[in-house]
Amino acid sequence: MLGREGVTSRPLDKEGLFEMKCDKIRIYFTYQDNRLIIIGLITLKKTQKAPPQYKIQAHVRINNYLNIRSKKNENNN
């Protein structure tokens, strides 16, 4: 439970992807450095189980963000 009634969060895989569900919304996210939350995808909840294509899409978007951020940090140093 994440501080609000009806909001649940759970890990989806060993790569660090989590899912938060609230009413009819699913949010796929990961943590970075145990403090920063990176949202990979927000969808309407249409099924009981998280569709595999949504998990893949969230991973791709999170990895793209992390790669861009890493390159930006390299250029600043």
Side-chain angles (χ1 to χ4, degrees), residues 39-54:
I39 296 174
L41 183 66
I42 300 173
T43 64
L44 293 177
K45 184 175 179 250
K46 296 180 182 178
T47 62
Q48 288 296 320
K49 195 172 180 182
Q53 70 268 22
Y54 289 169

Side-chain angles (χ1 to χ4, degrees), residues 69-77:
R69 186 172 176 203
S70 175
K71 288 178 185 176
K72 186 176 180 180
N73 286 341
E74 287 174 6
N75 290 337
N76 289 336
N77 290 332

Side-chain angles (χ1 to χ4, degrees), residues 6-20:
V7 176
T8 59
S9 174
R10 68 185 181 102
L12 287 179
D13 58 27
K14 294 178 182 178
E15 287 83 38
L17 187 65
F18 289 81
E19 174 190 52
M20 183 186 316

Side-chain angles (χ1 to χ4, degrees), residues 15-60:
E15 287 83 38
L17 187 65
F18 289 81
E19 174 190 52
M20 183 186 316
K21 292 189 273 187
C22 175
D23 296 323
K24 295 183 179 185
I25 296 175
R26 281 186 209 271
I27 301 170
Y28 300 92
F29 67 97
T30 191
Y31 292 98
Q32 185 178 21
D33 302 328
N34 294 320
R35 59 187 168 92
L36 178 66
I37 296 176
I38 301 169
I39 296 174
L41 183 66
I42 300 173
T43 64
L44 293 177
K45 184 175 179 250
K46 296 180 182 178
T47 62
Q48 288 296 320
K49 195 172 180 182
Q53 70 268 22
Y54 289 169
K55 292 190 260 186
I56 292 168
Q57 190 174 5
H59 272 297
V60 167

